[in-house]
Amino acid sequence: MMKFKNYLLIILIFNSFVTFASSRNLKGSSERQDNASYLSELEREVVDELNFARTHPSDYSVYLIEYSKLFVGRELREDGETTILTKEGKSAVNEAIRFLRNQKPLSYLIASKGMSKGAEDMVSMQETTTQIGHNGRDGSTFAERISRYGKWDGSCSENIDYGNNKARRIVMALIIDDGVSNRGHRKSIFNPVFKRVGVSCGQHQKYQYMCVIEYAVRYTEN
């Protein structure tokens, strides 16, 4: 029973979700950097963490090197914590380290209030349920949710992490992308065309925590 519980736990920590919307053209965009006062402390930390990984990928790999030392085979063993059985184990962490060392620095992501409100809508729909994934209970897609508060241009994407309540663990999990063959979450973080980001973090009935991250090439706030 404990092994089964541990296996489920790794799904929520590392097997976050990603999907992409089709390309779209709209007139105008908002490139204004705001003070992101609408974000919680954790949400601001997630934006900062994403930007550190994007702008200093080689430096960021140091965190993963330290993290890899906690693995014994496929098991993640931390003092005082339940042992977690991952899908790929240390090999996925090492692969992510190699990726970061070869990744060229990218530009900062600029926080968006409208995109963050779209992400918050998803948190509100899932936090009191056991639901996971990108489709809202109201039938909405992530592209539709961020369109409620502004207009996105080019392309957009959404990542959802379940089970982590620390910015570094959220971003590391998405970069490592354990069990996701195409590393889609990592691709979103390091997509050079994305310039805007929205974040909302909250509770989840089944996995305790969730964090929704929206990306877009350009975004015009309503």
Side-chain angles (χ1 to χ4, degrees), residues 42-55:
L42 174 58
E43 290 159 358
R44 286 194 295 270
E45 289 174 353
V46 169
V47 174
D48 290 342
E49 198 75 13
L50 288 167
N51 279 328
F52 182 42
R54 279 174 61 96
T55 59

Side-chain angles (χ1 to χ4, degrees), residues 5 21 25 31 40 48-49 60 67 70 75 79 90 96 98-99 121 126 139 141 147 182 187 192 216-217:
K5 180 180 179 182
N25 291 316
E31 301 297 340
S40 69
D48 290 342
E49 198 75 13
Y60 201 85
Y67 185 64
L70 302 176
E75 293 184 345
D79 291 340
K90 190 173 182 177
R98 291 192 295 272
F99 168 86
D121 285 353
Q126 288 192 348
T141 65
S147 294
N182 69 354
K187 289 178 180 178
V217 177

Side-chain angles (χ1 to χ4, degrees), residues 1-79:
M1 184 64 180
M2 183 59 71
K3 270 297 187 188
F4 182 66
K5 180 180 179 182
N6 293 348
Y7 186 77
L8 287 179
L9 185 59
I10 194 57
I11 293 176
L12 66 93
I13 292 179
F14 289 107
N15 250 13
S16 308
F17 294 80
V18 62
T19 187
F20 294 89
S22 58
S23 295
R24 168 177 166 186
N25 291 316
L26 295 170
K27 293 182 179 180
S29 66
S30 173
E31 301 297 340
R32 179 180 58 84
Q33 173 69 66
D34 54 43
N35 60 13
S37 59
Y38 49 85
L39 298 177
S40 69
E41 181 178 357
L42 174 58
E43 290 159 358
R44 286 194 295 270
E45 289 174 353
V46 169
V47 174
D48 290 342
E49 198 75 13
L50 288 167
N51 279 328
F52 182 42
R54 279 174 61 96
T55 59
H56 298 84
S58 183
D59 292 340
Y60 201 85
S61 69
V62 174
Y63 300 133
L64 273 68
I65 292 171
E66 291 301 310
Y67 185 64
S68 70
K69 297 175 182 177
L70 302 176
F71 282 81
V72 177
R74 292 168 57 204
E75 293 184 345
L76 173 62
R77 299 179 181 179
E78 294 185 81
D79 291 340

Side-chain angles (χ1 to χ4, degrees), residues 3 58 62 92 96 150 159 177 191 210:
K3 270 297 187 188
S58 183
V62 174
N159 283 170
D177 234 359
N191 189 330
M210 64 180 295

Side-chain angles (χ1 to χ4, degrees), residues 122-129 202-206 210:
M122 189 56 165
V123 172
S124 296
M125 284 188 283
Q126 288 192 348
E127 63 183 352
T128 59
T129 74
Q203 304 296 308
H204 191 272
Q205 183 173 307
K206 186 174 183 179
M210 64 180 295

Side-chain angles (χ1 to χ4, degrees), residues 64-168:
L64 273 68
I65 292 171
E66 291 301 310
Y67 185 64
S68 70
K69 297 175 182 177
L70 302 176
F71 282 81
V72 177
R74 292 168 57 204
E75 293 184 345
L76 173 62
R77 299 179 181 179
E78 294 185 81
D79 291 340
E81 301 291 338
T82 301
T83 296
I84 297 172
L85 179 64
T86 68
K87 289 187 174 182
E88 298 177 70
K90 190 173 182 177
S91 63
V93 184
N94 288 338
E95 188 270 330
I97 292 168
R98 291 192 295 272
F99 168 86
L100 289 170
R101 286 176 168 173
N102 291 304
Q103 172 64 39
K104 294 181 179 179
L106 301 174
S107 62
Y108 277 89
L109 295 168
I110 300 173
S112 160
K113 184 175 183 178
M115 291 171 64
S116 296
K117 290 178 70 175
E120 184 180 4
D121 285 353
M122 189 56 165
V123 172
S124 296
M125 284 188 283
Q126 288 192 348
E127 63 183 352
T128 59
T129 74
T130 59
Q131 180 186 358
I132 58 175
H134 297 283
N135 292 324
R137 284 189 294 167
D138 59 358
S140 63
T141 65
F142 69 87
E144 291 170 339
R145 289 188 291 274
I146 65 174
S147 294
R148 294 168 180 168
Y149 309 102
K151 295 181 179 180
W152 57 271
D153 182 14
S155 62
C156 60
S157 176
E158 178 179 84
N159 283 170
I160 306 179
D161 176 75
Y162 297 93
N164 291 298
N165 66 342
K166 296 184 184 301
R168 183 147 298 159

